[in-house]
Amino acid sequence: MSGTNAASGAAPCRFAHYFVICGIDTETGLEPDELAGENFEQSPLKRTFKSKVLAHYPENVEWNPFDQDAVNMLCMPKGLSFRTQADSREPQFHSFLITREDGSRTYGFVHTFYEEVTSPQICSAMQTLYQMHQAENPSSATPSSSSSSSSSMDSLASSLDEADSPSSSSCRSAACGGYDASRDTLYVSKALCLITPMPFMHACRRFLSQVHRAVTASLPPPLPLESYVHNILYEVPLPPPGRSLKFHGVYEPIVCQRPGPGELPLADFPLGQTFPLLGVENLVQLFNCTLLEMQILLYSQDYQRLMTVAEGITTLLFPFQWQHVYVPILPASLLHFLDAPVPYLMGLQSKEGTDRSKLELPQEANLCFVDIDNHCIELPEDFPQFPNKPELIQELSEVLLRYGISPVGGSQQALRELEDDGRNGNLGGEQLAVLELLQGNATLERLQALAKRTGVRVEALRGVGGEGEAQGGRTAVDEEELRNAKLNVQLREVFASRFTMMFADYEAFVIQSAPDLESWLTNREQMHNFDKASFLSDQPEPYLPFLSHFIETQMFATFIDNKIMSQWEEKEPLLRVFDGRIDKARLYNVRAPSLRSSNYQRCTILKESAQAIEQRLLKIDHTAIHPHLLDMKIGQGKYEQGFFPKLQSDVLSVGPTNNNRWSNRTATAQRRKDRHRQQTEHLTLDNDLKEKYMQEARSLGKNLRQPKLSDLSPAVIAQTNWKFVEGLLKECRMKTKRMLVEKMGREAVELGHGEANITGLEENTLIASLCDLLERIWSHGLQVKQVCADTHTHTRADTHTLSNGPERRKSESSLGMPSLRESVIQDMRHIQSMGEIKTDVGRARAWIRLSLEKKLLSQHLKRLLSRQALTKKLYKRYAFLRCEEEKEQFLFHLLSLNTVDYFCFTSVFTTIMIPYRAVIIPIKKLSNAMTTSNPWVCVSGELGDSGVRQITKNVLEMTFDCQNLGKLTTVQLGHDNSGLLAKWLVDCVMVRNEITGHTYKFPCGRWLGKGVDDGSLERVLIGELTSPNADEDCGRGCRTPDMQHSPGQTRRASITSMGGRGYKPTSAQIQEAIGEAVNSICKHFHKPEKERGSLTILLCGEVGLVGALELFFHNGFKSARLFQKTVFVWDFVEKAVAYMESADQMGDMQETAEPLGLTCVSLCHYVSAINSSPRNIGKDGKFQLLVCLGARDRLLIQWLPLLVECPVIQRMYEESALLRDRTTVNDLIAVLQTLHDFPITLEASLVKGIDL
């Protein structure tokens, strides 16, 4: 026992933790493997049977407890397989990993071979099974072309090799897939496995291969096998960082190396095989899907291919790490994991002859399906592309071509390029030798044909001559490993370089607000750790679509968490390497903007990184102790060719007893670590509490890791699904809270004025994330056979049951808008009529966006889920939507989103046709409700205008269809002044989007007609979005609105009406109004472009610049004339211009300074252009247009002195008027001067018909 403890104490520094043997247990006999999907119609030789762990050494390691069921399942994922002498029995190699609950990984490397069955009971049982099968299926005796090639451990290459061999086919025809104990020899699979803490794949593969060679060789090995197993378990240490290590196998030495502290972490799985399997473009797309944390399913017949692609793609994520479910080889007993509504990366073994279309996958809206054997990939429908994707593919292709690998995928292309380069003299000696070897050898020509059918790299044939000597005494295998290691690191450096450039300044946006670790862990959920909006605003425009999605992922959140915690704890290794590279990049890039350029910058350290690997592998730093004789019992472990012996457990369960320097160092280092850990526990918070907070703060994916593979009971599976449900509910709560904080928090800063200061890109990202969550909730536990994979399909199924149900209508005033039907069915019909959307997933997301914009998402979903019979039919019992309490909380969280306004449907689907309804509401007590003239209306929004729409005479309502106008801003209302009753007093115009239900009110409160008010036949009205609870106010048109409640009336009514009602703002109020209007315009332009609202409202709206200047010009204005018509401000402007023109003709202006003269010319020109316009916009409308044009062209402050100096002002303004106060006018000019810094643009509806 003490020996075991001593061994386990040094386990963290040992190269291997366990040596495991799996195979058939002769005592229990043949047990069908029910979890592997047994098919009793198959021949017994094709069925799978339960395997068992026959032995493992040592018994247990403290740092890595042995999970017997998990190891057995992953060593033999499809159980035992049997062969006869007629079948291929080539050994196979594959690897696996086990992810522990704390996120750490243990790697397993498995060498599977076939051993003769010597147990008469097993042979007899197989004979009996075959006879029973033959009796039940007489037709099965007919020879089958695939009789013995469908076993789980057959590789594609070996089965095709058999198909090409005439001798093997004739031999198989004799047995025709059957078994006769009297003439056939029975073989069964057995697995040798090394479990290691680090992925030294090549070294483990060579060690296991040599152990198997020792078993099958005619001569016994130099030492008992126990010596070699004991050596690798206890006497071979892990290589120190930045060093290489040589240890000895049975026949040849084996070399492995470990990257240094500043290098990329260890990755031994060959990317040189991953890229040809998929092609560079497909692999970059897969890499992109992994970064965006989609569901990724790898599919292949070969276990090692699954592992190679999975490890290869996660290796390229540096400095980020996959945070969710990660099962590169998914055992048959864990297929329910595919139903997990969370991101995952899993590998599924394909059965021979299985069609992709027959796979029953729970939902595919967010699924990336990778068919490795067929070199193809099925991508999700819509996701942002990785920045500089073409340039990245080009650089990767060049690296691959330097090593003779085709970037297209498939090896015939590589051979064709080799031949072309050979003819052109572009090949080096090494590559040319490969080409000559391929062209001149009959055996290799056959292998070349086989390579074409299997997708194996042609370059892999370089070492076919065996482990012959190469230059410098190194074997061909050594050279191949060196080549693979150099290729690996160069491909990884290309990807790492991209992240270094993209996130070179990420530290500037990390928010470190907590004073200590404990307070940060406690308040983690409430804190914003990264200034996303500022980071995005600082990035090149082409990067934004990808980055806005990526910074919402869990791997990025964990990366930022690690960065924040590094101020209190030791830096996480990947973060330390990445930060070091950024510091180095800054030294070489003194100009910071070059780090944020969208121009592609190639990796500059490819040669340097490859040289570091080569130097370590060519110059060995450390050599482990040689295997040696152990103190073994004589007579045990007798060598018998072809059979793996029973090893002596007593010598393998304990480590070395001598106190060598390595074990002393390890023990001392371990004691030092223990002391440091104990001190840390006393100085900081309790570890249990810390772990609790960390688990809460970290990813949902970490909370949803796969359970122990040995726990396969229904209760554990139910518990796993319950974790999924809890995780989804928590994610829903966090997402809705985040959306509310982003929206309402910014509005609070704005004190209720203007729009929320949130970028359209950021808001769109949050809503897209909500759509992802709803899709996962809707698909959780969905019955696969229903082929109902998304929200839209469920909704469509539910509309049949809801079609007869009641439909809510918005209660609106009968004098205003007619009521709008609100129902799931109506919204579904709108979505289905949108021809721009082609897929069910797209329609589902459009429906979610529409419901969110209408503030009906929670209500619609509640109505859909009220049909329990349909829910039970579509969903399994454990589904999220069948958990009543969680479902109610989910709907409550969605209901909270109704407190803010979203335009997530209107702003995204900009090209669709939308029906609009317009209603003109007159002031009936003061005018006729109808007019004999021909009215018209033109509606304008942020995305365009409707064009002039004629309104049927004596009808106050109309509907029209036009392309989405976005948020509505202005309405132009007018008539042609025909008929006897051509005068029209309009209270307001109401316009409603019939799809979203958004209703806009455009206040007027003015006459339209000649000889009344200011003589306007056309008015430009500025709109405002009405709130739902103000519906009854929308149509209040039975009386003249109160002055203070009508934004249009306050500033547009004539001075006579203002004076008559006694409303005269003070000088201070007028100056304050001007300051507020100018300040709002300045703030508008200081926002990022995507965050700005409507400039028209700031210029012409209720508290806009035009209204404030009108108040200024009205102050002290002598507008009322006894027995004469009312005089308007525009009359003053026209008289002033007439005076300037007459003075110019008389020569009085010639002595004026030239700039002032030019200013007079410009003012006269603008007024003349406005008066000559074909539009009948009235005198107040003309003044509004003059102010807008002057602000746009930066002329207002030049025109004001002219108007002040004009003698006309003395006749039309009182002595106390603001316009006659020089100090006040100078202050006004100074305030307006600040607008010159901004490019003011005017809507087309404001300047229509003006030619300047």
Side-chain angles (χ1 to χ4, degrees):
M1 195 68 183
S2 61
T4 306
N5 290 337
S8 61
C13 292
R14 287 184 356 211
F15 180 87
H17 288 176
Y18 294 99
F19 180 79
V20 186
I21 306 162
C22 295
I24 190 169
D25 187 348
T26 55
E27 295 182 1
T28 57
L30 295 179
E31 295 183 79
D33 193 350
E34 298 172 358
L35 292 175
E38 190 59 52
N39 183 1
F40 289 100
E41 294 181 359
Q42 288 183 326
S43 167
L45 287 178
K46 296 182 182 180
R47 300 176 194 169
T48 54
F49 299 89
K50 286 185 179 179
S51 62
K52 290 193 176 180
V53 174
L54 303 179
H56 66 279
Y57 311 102
E59 192 67 27
N60 194 47
V61 172
E62 178 186 351
W63 297 94
N64 183 14
F66 188 75
D67 189 341
Q68 180 163 307
D69 292 322
V71 172
N72 177 49
M73 188 182 302
L74 292 170
C75 281
M76 292 187 158
K78 300 287 284 186
L80 297 169
S81 59
F82 286 87
R83 295 283 189 276
T84 67
Q85 76 282 356
D87 301 314
S88 170
R89 302 187 303 280
E90 290 297 318
Q92 303 295 325
F93 175 84
H94 78 274
S95 47
F96 64 83
L97 66 81
I98 298 176
T99 306
R100 293 193 288 268
E101 292 183 2
D102 63 353
S104 59
R105 295 174 178 176
T106 298
Y107 293 84
F109 302 97
V110 185
H111 182 95
T112 305
F113 62 99
Y114 287 89
E115 191 175 76
E116 183 180 344
V117 177
T118 56
S119 169
Q121 292 84 359
I122 301 295
C123 294
S124 175
M126 181 60 72
Q127 176 78 55
T128 303
L129 287 173
Y130 181 70
Q131 290 172 352
M132 292 170 60
H133 171 75
Q134 204 169 22
E136 294 172 1
N137 303 278
S139 60
S140 65
T142 306
S144 170
S145 61
S146 62
S147 60
S148 62
S149 61
S150 64
S151 173
S152 61
M153 297 309 296
D154 258 346
S155 70
L156 186 59
S158 62
S159 63
L160 289 172
D161 197 27
E162 291 172 14
D164 288 346
S165 171
S167 60
S168 63
S169 61
S170 62
C171 183
R172 192 187 307 111
S173 64
C176 62
Y179 173 68
D180 186 345
S182 62
R183 70 180 185 194
D184 292 327
T185 304
L186 189 64
Y187 295 88
V188 67
S189 57
K190 178 174 279 190
L192 307 178
C193 173
L194 271 181
I195 294 180
T196 65
M198 300 187 73
F200 291 106
M201 190 207 69
H202 287 100
C204 293
R205 184 172 192 165
R206 290 185 67 180
F207 177 82
L208 293 173
S209 175
Q210 291 185 34
V211 170
H212 180 238
R213 275 176 55 196
V215 173
T216 57
S218 56
L219 296 176
L223 295 171
L225 290 182
E226 286 87 345
S227 297
Y228 303 104
V229 174
H230 183 275
N231 179 251
I232 199 168
L233 285 178
Y234 300 112
E235 297 173 331
V236 177
L238 286 174
R243 300 300 179 91
S244 56
L245 170 74
K246 180 170 75 172
F247 65 94
H248 291 266
V250 182
Y251 297 109
E252 295 98 12
I254 300 169
V255 176
C256 59
Q257 61 87 28
R258 189 173 172 186
E263 300 177 59
L264 295 177
L266 176 67
D268 210 25
F269 288 86
L271 290 172
Q273 294 177 15
T274 305
F275 276 84
L277 284 172
L278 297 176
V280 176
E281 184 165 2
N282 281 344
L283 193 131
V284 170
Q285 291 284 52
L286 173 59
F287 171 72
N288 195 12
C289 292
T290 309
L291 284 172
L292 299 179
E293 294 185 344
M294 299 180 178
Q295 293 177 324
I296 298 170
L297 183 60
L298 310 177
Y299 194 61
S300 173
Q301 289 189 52
D302 191 335
Y303 290 119
Q304 185 59 13
R305 283 187 175 183
L306 294 173
M307 190 71 182
T308 299
V309 173
E311 280 293 290
I313 206 68
T314 53
T315 293
L316 299 176
L317 298 178
F318 170 87
F320 308 101
Q321 294 173 287
W322 181 258
Q323 298 293 317
H324 299 278
V325 178
Y326 182 63
V327 189
I329 298 176
L330 185 66
S333 56
L334 295 180
L335 289 180
H336 66 278
F337 265 47
L338 293 177
D339 199 26
V342 294
Y344 59 68
L345 200 166
M346 302 194 203
L348 185 62
Q349 194 210 23
S350 59
K351 297 178 182 178
E352 188 172 351
T354 301
D355 188 9
R356 156 74 176 94
S357 60
K358 295 179 181 178
L359 271 180
E360 292 184 345
L361 299 177
Q363 53 110 5
E364 302 184 14
N366 203 32
L367 178 68
C368 175
F369 182 84
V370 184
D371 190 342
I372 299 174
D373 297 336
N374 292 316
H375 318 292
C376 64
I377 180 173
E378 297 175 20
L379 296 167
E381 294 179 1
D382 186 25
F383 62 95
Q385 295 298 312
F386 191 75
N388 300 117
K389 176 185 163 188
E391 293 86 351
L392 174 63
I393 290 175
Q394 176 65 27
E395 184 174 10
L396 292 170
S397 300
E398 292 175 8
V399 173
L400 290 168
L401 288 172
R402 283 199 292 269
Y403 288 85
I405 298 175
S406 166
V408 181
S411 34
Q412 54 270 36
Q413 177 70 23
L415 181 62
R416 192 179 306 118
E417 292 176 359
L418 275 174
E419 292 173 344
D420 293 342
D421 286 343
R423 282 193 296 270
N424 297 332
N426 295 332
L427 283 184
E430 188 179 22
Q431 291 177 318
L432 195 59
V434 174
L435 177 60
E436 292 171 354
L437 183 67
L438 287 171
Q439 292 175 334
N441 189 305
T443 303
L444 292 181
E445 285 178 1
R446 178 173 169 273
L447 288 175
Q448 177 189 340
L450 176 61
K452 289 183 179 180
R453 301 170 62 178
T454 59
V456 175
R457 288 188 297 107
V458 173
E459 289 74 26
L461 302 175
R462 182 173 300 181
V464 292
E467 298 189 3
E469 290 294 322
Q471 56 180 354
R474 292 171 53 81
T475 65
V477 173
D478 293 333
E479 292 296 326
E480 182 69 14
E481 287 186 8
L482 173 59
R483 175 178 171 277
N484 285 336
K486 291 165 63 177
L487 174 60
N488 259 26
V489 74
Q490 290 195 350
L491 290 172
R492 294 170 64 203
E493 287 289 359
V494 172
F495 285 93
S497 173
R498 299 308 311 134
F499 286 125
T500 304
M501 301 307 301
M502 290 165 61
F503 294 96
D505 54 353
Y506 84 97
E507 288 183 80
F509 303 98
V510 176
I511 304 172
Q512 299 184 344
S513 55
D516 53 63
L517 179 60
E518 182 176 0
S519 61
W520 182 81
L521 292 171
T522 306
N523 302 301
R524 169 66 183 85
E525 272 192 33
Q526 287 75 35
M527 287 185 175
H528 285 278
N529 293 332
F530 192 72
D531 187 357
K532 297 176 182 178
S534 300
F535 173 76
L536 291 175
S537 67
D538 209 22
Q539 303 308 309
E541 186 74 22
Y543 288 11
L544 293 182
F546 171 80
L547 287 176
S548 61
H549 282 71
F550 178 67
I551 62 176
E552 296 293 336
T553 61
Q554 189 56 47
M555 70 173 72
F556 184 79
T558 303
F559 175 76
I560 297 300
D561 286 353
N562 289 335
K563 178 64 179 177
I564 293 175
M565 287 192 297
S566 67
Q567 60 184 319
W568 302 295
E569 294 183 344
E570 186 179 357
K571 269 191 181 181
E572 193 268 339
L574 295 184
L575 178 65
R576 184 178 63 249
V577 175
F578 187 65
D579 283 353
R581 286 168 176 252
I582 289 179
D583 293 340
K584 186 176 180 182
R586 285 175 181 157
L587 292 176
Y588 290 106
N589 296 272
V590 180
R591 297 179 181 178
S594 66
L595 293 174
R596 292 192 292 271
S597 169
S598 61
N599 297 328
Y600 187 84
Q601 299 186 32
R602 288 173 168 264
C603 180
T604 58
I605 59 172
L606 293 182
K607 187 176 181 180
E608 174 187 335
S609 59
Q611 286 176 345
I613 296 279
E614 186 171 15
Q615 184 176 1
R616 277 198 298 271
L617 288 178
L618 293 179
K619 183 180 179 182
I620 306 302
D621 297 307
H622 302 281
T623 302
I625 298 173
H626 283 245
H628 52 86
L629 282 174
L630 303 174
D631 185 12
M632 297 172 55
K633 297 177 182 178
I634 300 175
Q636 292 189 11
K638 185 179 179 182
Y639 174 77
E640 186 176 354
Q641 185 180 1
F643 294 92
F644 194 86
K646 184 177 180 180
L647 302 180
Q648 294 187 25
S649 59
D650 54 344
V651 296
L652 294 179
S653 61
V654 295
T657 56
N658 60 316
N659 294 323
N660 56 58
R661 286 179 298 171
W662 169 62
S663 61
N664 276 336
R665 272 202 312 270
T666 355
T668 304
Q670 190 56 43
R671 283 194 298 271
R672 191 163 54 244
K673 281 186 179 179
D674 289 341
R675 283 197 303 271
H676 178 69
R677 178 168 53 85
Q678 291 168 4
Q679 292 170 1
T680 306
E681 287 176 1
H682 290 293
L683 293 175
T684 62
L685 72 161
D686 180 66
N687 270 358
D688 293 337
L689 181 64
K690 176 180 172 181
E691 184 62 27
K692 174 189 172 184
Y693 286 135
M694 286 305 298
Q695 288 300 324
E696 287 295 323
R698 290 295 178 88
S699 136
L700 291 171
K702 283 196 174 180
N703 290 334
L704 298 177
R705 291 191 184 280
Q706 56 270 31
K708 292 180 65 176
L709 302 184
S710 54
D711 297 336
L712 302 175
S713 64
V716 172
I717 293 175
Q719 180 64 23
T720 303
N721 284 308
W722 184 248
K723 285 185 178 181
F724 290 153
V725 170
E726 289 180 331
L728 287 171
L729 183 61
K730 181 178 179 182
E731 188 175 354
C732 179
R733 176 174 61 83
M734 293 176 66
K735 284 190 185 301
T736 52
K737 179 181 177 182
R738 165 82 186 281
M739 293 172 71
L740 289 172
V741 168
E742 287 287 349
K743 199 74 168 168
M744 298 180 70
R746 303 294 176 84
E747 288 174 350
V749 172
E750 295 290 331
L751 299 177
H753 299 293
E755 296 181 19
N757 184 19
I758 177 173
T759 67
L761 184 64
E762 174 79 0
E763 178 177 311
N764 199 45
T765 300
L766 291 174
I767 293 170
S769 178
L770 178 67
C771 290
D772 290 337
L773 172 65
L774 292 181
E775 284 175 356
R776 286 190 275 128
I777 288 176
W778 225 252
S779 61
H780 181 233
L782 197 62
Q783 297 284 1
V784 177
K785 294 182 179 179
Q786 296 290 337
V787 196
C788 186
D790 52 53
T791 314
H792 181 269
T793 317
H794 184 164
T795 309
R796 189 168 52 192
D798 213 353
T799 51
H800 297 296
T801 65
L802 296 174
S803 57
N804 297 323
E807 292 184 352
R808 283 191 55 192
R809 294 173 180 268
K810 273 189 178 177
S811 60
E812 303 198 32
S813 171
S814 59
L815 295 176
M817 283 286 182
S819 59
L820 180 67
R821 297 165 62 187
E822 289 181 352
S823 69
V824 180
I825 300 173
Q826 189 66 24
D827 289 347
M828 286 292 299
R829 287 172 181 163
H830 286 313
I831 300 301
Q832 288 173 337
S833 65
M834 293 168 58
E836 293 83 354
I837 304 177
K838 309 297 184 184
T839 64
D840 279 350
V841 173
R843 294 186 187 96
R845 295 200 164 204
W847 182 82
I848 292 171
R849 287 176 176 273
L850 176 58
S851 301
L852 184 60
E853 185 165 326
K854 296 178 73 172
K855 302 187 177 182
L856 293 172
L857 181 59
S858 178
Q859 176 185 321
H860 280 349
L861 293 181
K862 185 174 183 179
R863 183 157 175 75
L864 288 173
L865 297 174
S866 64
R867 307 288 172 168
Q868 294 187 0
L870 182 63
T871 306
K872 288 181 179 179
K873 178 182 177 183
L874 293 176
Y875 289 93
K876 300 171 185 175
R877 179 64 192 90
Y878 62 80
F880 181 94
L881 296 180
R882 291 188 64 183
C883 300
E884 291 301 322
E885 184 178 344
E886 283 71 19
K887 182 176 68 176
E888 289 300 319
Q889 293 184 50
F890 159 66
L891 293 174
F892 175 77
H893 291 315
L894 293 182
L895 183 64
S896 66
L897 295 176
N898 289 2
T899 57
V900 292
D901 295 324
Y902 283 104
F903 291 87
C904 49
F905 179 86
T906 304
S907 61
V908 169
F909 302 102
T910 57
T911 61
I912 64 173
M913 298 298 292
I914 290 182
Y916 291 91
R917 182 181 298 271
V919 177
I920 294 96
I921 302 173
I923 301 177
K924 295 182 180 179
K925 283 194 174 183
L926 299 180
S927 73
N928 298 304
M930 305 298 179
T931 177
T932 57
S933 58
N934 298 301
W936 56 268
V937 68
C938 177
V939 182
S940 300
E942 293 179 346
L943 301 178
D945 65 70
S946 64
V948 173
R949 304 277 176 166
Q950 295 295 332
I951 304 175
T952 305
K953 190 179 296 186
N954 296 328
V955 176
L956 297 176
E957 180 180 336
M958 70 174 298
T959 58
F960 58 90
D961 292 344
C962 71
Q963 186 168 307
N964 185 4
L965 301 177
K967 297 178 185 177
L968 303 187
T969 53
T970 62
V971 159
Q972 299 166 65
L973 178 67
H975 62 77
D976 61 358
N977 202 42
S978 61
L980 296 176
L981 300 175
K983 299 175 182 178
W984 202 14
L985 181 57
V986 177
D987 178 26
C988 64
V989 177
M990 308 292 298
V991 181
R992 183 174 68 201
N993 182 321
E994 292 292 276
I995 292 182
T996 66
H998 285 313
T999 303
Y1000 294 82
K1001 182 178 181 180
F1002 298 86
C1004 179
R1006 303 291 296 272
W1007 286 94
L1008 282 87
K1010 288 291 186 181
V1012 64
D1013 205 331
D1014 64 345
S1016 173
L1017 296 180
E1018 170 190 341
R1019 296 200 183 277
V1020 179
L1021 310 179
I1022 310 302
E1024 56 184 7
L1025 182 66
T1026 62
S1027 57
N1029 58 3
D1031 291 337
E1032 63 185 44
D1033 296 332
C1034 295
R1036 188 182 298 162
C1038 58
R1039 61 179 174 83
T1040 304
D1042 294 335
M1043 189 72 61
Q1044 60 269 31
H1045 292 155
S1046 174
Q1049 194 122 344
T1050 300
R1051 74 170 191 78
R1052 291 194 178 92
S1054 66
I1055 297 301
T1056 302
S1057 62
M1058 292 177 68
R1061 293 188 179 272
Y1063 179 77
K1064 289 187 177 181
T1066 64
S1067 300
Q1069 290 174 332
I1070 294 173
Q1071 293 180 58
E1072 182 181 357
I1074 293 174
E1076 288 290 339
V1078 173
N1079 190 37
S1080 296
I1081 295 174
C1082 294
K1083 288 196 293 184
H1084 170 87
F1085 284 103
H1086 277 101
K1087 296 177 183 178
E1089 188 173 352
K1090 292 184 175 64
E1091 300 179 21
R1092 298 173 185 172
S1094 171
L1095 184 59
T1096 302
I1097 295 176
L1098 300 180
L1099 289 172
C1100 307
E1102 177 183 357
V1103 292
L1105 178 65
V1106 173
L1109 288 178
E1110 279 186 358
L1111 293 176
F1112 187 89
F1113 275 83
H1114 282 149
N1115 182 265
F1117 187 58
K1118 301 176 182 179
S1119 59
R1121 298 287 192 275
L1122 191 62
F1123 306 116
Q1124 295 182 12
K1125 294 190 298 183
T1126 301
V1127 181
F1128 294 85
V1129 173
W1130 186 252
D1131 293 322
F1132 163 67
V1133 174
E1134 284 185 321
K1135 289 182 180 181
V1137 167
Y1139 170 80
M1140 294 175 196
E1141 289 176 341
S1142 63
D1144 185 40
Q1145 291 173 1
M1146 294 171 60
D1148 294 348
M1149 300 290 291
Q1150 293 176 356
E1151 298 178 0
T1152 307
E1154 184 176 347
L1156 192 59
L1158 293 176
T1159 303
C1160 289
V1161 172
S1162 69
L1163 177 60
C1164 297
H1165 177 57
Y1166 275 67
V1167 172
S1168 174
I1170 292 172
N1171 279 328
S1172 60
S1173 167
R1175 300 173 65 184
N1176 294 300
I1177 55 177
K1179 293 181 179 180
D1180 280 350
K1182 290 177 180 179
F1183 180 77
Q1184 172 180 284
L1185 184 54
L1186 181 67
V1187 172
C1188 291
L1189 291 172
R1192 182 192 69 180
D1193 299 335
R1194 301 179 174 87
L1195 294 171
L1196 277 180
I1197 62 173
Q1198 300 177 25
W1199 291 343
L1200 276 174
L1202 291 177
L1203 296 174
V1204 171
E1205 297 291 337
C1206 182
V1208 177
I1209 194 173
Q1210 298 174 5
R1211 300 197 306 268
M1212 302 190 71
Y1213 278 88
E1214 299 172 356
E1215 185 70 29
S1216 61
L1218 290 175
L1219 198 60
R1220 297 185 65 177
D1221 184 342
R1222 295 297 180 92
T1223 303
T1224 305
V1225 172
N1226 289 335
D1227 291 342
L1228 174 62
I1229 291 174
V1231 171
L1232 294 177
Q1233 175 77 39
T1234 59
L1235 297 180
H1236 287 196
D1237 297 332
F1238 310 114
I1240 294 177
T1241 56
L1242 303 178
E1243 273 193 36
S1245 61
L1246 294 178
V1247 296
K1248 186 183 296 183
I1250 302 297
D1251 183 19
L1252 285 172

